């Protein structure tokens, strides 16, 4: 036994402590053990002692509830036979056919592995050691990619694990979706759940709670990868919207399809574990990802309730869809999510990650347009900020006036481009040779969708 004591509620197979089997709740042992024991209580079962165990079980399957209970009260051996779970399932359930009951069970136990292996080469998210700010701005601001080197320099990458966080922050309260739990309570749940959609710890105040130093300087715990450059929302200082989150979750937890708020880009760094990502760009001529339905003003997104349900029903189609990109971001790596990209992410194992949203220079115009045109969809600002667009423009005008002017000019170009495409569609519809006299939303299948 190599000096390792085995708890009394377990026994090992062939003296191998790596194969631990819990003691049966009624202390039933394998039949072979009878040859080394002085007594087998089955001999007190009367005529049933003469019957094979399998025949006793078959007889009990024919009994009703009253007879089964009475027989179980006659002796310890028959009590054990009468407590078989399958007997009571047959009595109270029988054969029940229900997609509503079986579907969540199926989703909760569907393996993720078939959906995340053999990613088609054409879909694979590029993997790079690192980038500099100039390369990002010139070539990568609109593309997903994974960097394999920067996160490995962070102190938190070298120091954090689930056990370390529990020891230091176990009593500290964090937000897990709609509930606030001490970390130790969440980890207990995380390590022992079979939910179809496990709760995801997603805390926006972790830096302040954990007293972390952010930035590349002495005593810092982590810093944003340098290639992403400045975050233009920094001009708002303490009035900026929520931007960074600590993410902890078990296997199968994650986020269904969404775009990041306020037209921001994002990076997501995995401290431990691994995450599968599937992503799609947003184009006026393309619909949302398969299985995702968006309201006309894009304020509401409807998709399957769980990630597993989407994988079961739509993953194969999604892989064949134009623009699909997939990848696995592993421990010590960071993934870039460009502004406006649809993305779904799921933990392939228990995971700790840090994510942050930001506005790079390349997407200033998108952010300005979003804040101005969709004020009802702007999120993350404190309630005392009544007009985020006005605040952002005012701060940029004060601190970076030339950059603001460039952004406003780009917004106007985007507006003119959309108007021109609309006018071209109307003109083409009016001039076609099919005899139609006016514009129609129901054109030929090869017509481009109206943006």
């Amino acid at each position: 036994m190599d000096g390792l004591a085995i708890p009394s509620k377990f026994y090992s197979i062939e003296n191998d402590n790596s194969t631990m089997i819990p003691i049966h709740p009624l202390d039933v042992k394998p039949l072979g053990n009878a040859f080394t024991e002085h007594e087998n209580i089955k001999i007190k079962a009367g005529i049933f002692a003469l019957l094979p165990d399998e025949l006793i079980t078959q007889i009990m399957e024919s009994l009703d509830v009253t007879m089964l209970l009475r027989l179980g009260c006659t002796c310890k051996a028959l009590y054990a036979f009468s407590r078989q779970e399958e007997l009571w399932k047959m009595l109270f359930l029988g054969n029940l056919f229900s997609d509503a009951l079986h579907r969540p069970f199926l989703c909760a136990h569907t393996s993720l592995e078939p959906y995340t292996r053999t990613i088609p080469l054409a879909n694979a998210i590029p993997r790079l050691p690192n980038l500099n700010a100039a390369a990002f701005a010139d070539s990568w601001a609109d593309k997903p990619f994974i960097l394999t080197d920067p996160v490995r320099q962070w102190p938190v990458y070298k120091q954090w694990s689930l056990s370390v966080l529990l020891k230091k922050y176990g009593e500290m309260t964090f937000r897990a979706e709609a509930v606030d739990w001490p970390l130790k309570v969440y980890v207990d749940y995380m390590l022992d759940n079979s939910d179809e959609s496990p709760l995801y710890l997603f805390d926006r105040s972790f830096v302040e709670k954990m007293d972390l130093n952010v930035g590349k300087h002495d005593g810092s715990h982590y810093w944003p990868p340098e290639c992403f450059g400045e975050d233009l929302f920094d001009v708002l200082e303490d009035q900026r919207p929520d931007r960074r989150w600590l993410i902890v979750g078990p296997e199968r937890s994650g986020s269904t399809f969404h775009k990041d708020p306020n037209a921001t880009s994002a990076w997501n760094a995995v401290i431990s574990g691994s995450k599968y990502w599937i992503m799609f760009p947003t184009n006026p001529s393309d619909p949302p990802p398969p299985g995702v339905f968006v309201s006309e003003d894009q304020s509401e997104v409807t998709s399957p309730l769980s990630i597993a349900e989407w994988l079961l029903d739509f993953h194969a189609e999604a892989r064949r869809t134009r623009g699909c990109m997939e990848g696995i971001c592993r421990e010590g790596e960071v993934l870039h999510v460009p502004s406006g990209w649809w993305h779904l992410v799921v933990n392939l194992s228990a995971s700790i990650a840090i994510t942050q949203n930001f506005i790079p220079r390349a997407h200033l115009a998108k952010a300005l347009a979003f804040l101005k045109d969709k004020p009802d969809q702007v999120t993350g600002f404190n309630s005392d900020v009544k007009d985020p667009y006005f605040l952002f423009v005012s701060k940029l005008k004060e601190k970076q006036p030339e950059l603001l002017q460039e952004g406003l000019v780009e917004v106007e170009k985007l507006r003119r481009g959309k108007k021109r495409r609309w006018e071209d569609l109307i003109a083409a519809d009016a001039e076609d040779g099919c005899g139609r006299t006016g514009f129609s939303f129901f054109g030929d299948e090869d017509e481009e969708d109206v943006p």
Side-chain angles (χ1 to χ4, degrees), residues 243-320:
R243 60 170 163 167
R244 56 197 177 197
W245 292 264
L246 172 67
I247 309 173
V248 182
E251 179 184 353
R252 313 178 68 81
S253 61
S255 299
T256 55
F257 272 107
H258 64 284
K259 299 179 186 179
D260 281 332
N262 306 327
T264 56
S265 299
W267 53 261
N268 188 297
V270 180
I271 307 300
S272 67
S274 60
K275 297 173 180 283
Y276 169 74
W277 294 77
I278 183 166
M279 312 173 71
F280 293 86
T282 298
N283 294 312
S285 59
D286 291 337
V292 178
F293 305 92
V294 185
S295 62
E296 186 174 352
D297 65 355
Q298 298 192 12
S299 63
E300 296 183 10
V301 177
T302 302
S303 64
L305 294 178
S306 73
I307 293 170
E309 187 175 10
W310 184 88
L311 291 172
L312 284 166
D313 293 341
F314 299 104
H315 185 262
E317 179 186 352
R319 275 196 164 166
R320 299 189 299 267

Side-chain angles (χ1 to χ4, degrees), residues 73-130:
C73 291
T74 58
C75 71
K76 293 179 179 179
L78 291 180
Y79 176 80
F81 277 98
S82 71
R83 301 294 292 178
Q84 295 178 80
E85 187 174 337
E86 289 302 317
L87 293 174
W88 295 96
K89 283 184 178 178
M90 287 188 294
L91 282 169
F92 286 98
L93 290 180
N95 291 321
L96 177 61
F97 304 96
S98 170
D99 284 341
L101 295 178
H102 185 264
R103 184 72 170 182
F105 177 85
L106 172 66
C107 290
H109 293 86
T110 295
S111 171
L112 300 175
E113 196 266 343
Y115 302 97
T116 60
R117 68 185 178 195
T118 59
I119 293 173
L121 187 60
N123 292 10
I125 296 173
R127 297 174 62 83
L128 310 164
N130 208 343

Side-chain angles (χ1 to χ4, degrees), residues 181-192:
W181 279 348
L183 181 62
K184 65 179 184 180
V185 174
Y186 176 77
V187 172
D188 285 344
Y189 160 82
M190 171 181 165
L191 299 177
D192 185 24

Side-chain angles (χ1 to χ4, degrees), residues 154-162 164-165 168 220-221 271:
W154 292 358
V156 295
Y157 170 72
K158 300 173 183 178
Q159 299 166 5
W160 278 7
S161 66
L162 202 56
V164 168
L165 293 183
K168 192 168 183 180
S220 64
H221 292 87
I271 307 300

Side-chain angles (χ1 to χ4, degrees), residues 43 207 396:
I43 64 172
V207 168
L396 281 173

Side-chain angles (χ1 to χ4, degrees), residues 239-392:
Q239 291 182 294
R240 66 164 300 139
D242 300 330
R243 60 170 163 167
R244 56 197 177 197
W245 292 264
L246 172 67
I247 309 173
V248 182
E251 179 184 353
R252 313 178 68 81
S253 61
S255 299
T256 55
F257 272 107
H258 64 284
K259 299 179 186 179
D260 281 332
N262 306 327
T264 56
S265 299
W267 53 261
N268 188 297
V270 180
I271 307 300
S272 67
S274 60
K275 297 173 180 283
Y276 169 74
W277 294 77
I278 183 166
M279 312 173 71
F280 293 86
T282 298
N283 294 312
S285 59
D286 291 337
V292 178
F293 305 92
V294 185
S295 62
E296 186 174 352
D297 65 355
Q298 298 192 12
S299 63
E300 296 183 10
V301 177
T302 302
S303 64
L305 294 178
S306 73
I307 293 170
E309 187 175 10
W310 184 88
L311 291 172
L312 284 166
D313 293 341
F314 299 104
H315 185 262
E317 179 186 352
R319 275 196 164 166
R320 299 189 299 267
T321 301
R322 181 174 67 177
C324 176
M325 299 198 74
E326 305 172 70
I328 296 175
C329 192
R330 297 180 174 85
E331 186 171 301
E333 300 177 346
V334 59
L335 180 138
H336 170 242
V337 182
S339 171
W341 276 62
W342 292 102
H343 52 284
L344 173 151
V345 57
V346 60
N347 285 335
L348 301 182
S349 59
S351 175
I352 302 170
I354 293 173
T355 188
Q356 183 164 318
N357 291 72
F358 66 103
I359 298 178
R361 286 186 173 228
H363 292 154
L364 174 59
K366 287 185 178 181
L368 288 168
F370 186 92
L371 294 176
K372 183 175 183 180
D373 298 340
K374 300 181 178 181
D376 58 319
Q377 297 178 37
V378 173
T379 62
F381 285 88
N382 289 333
S383 58
D384 59 346
V385 177
K386 304 302 181 184
D387 189 340
Y389 173 76
F390 177 78
L391 174 66
F392 190 37

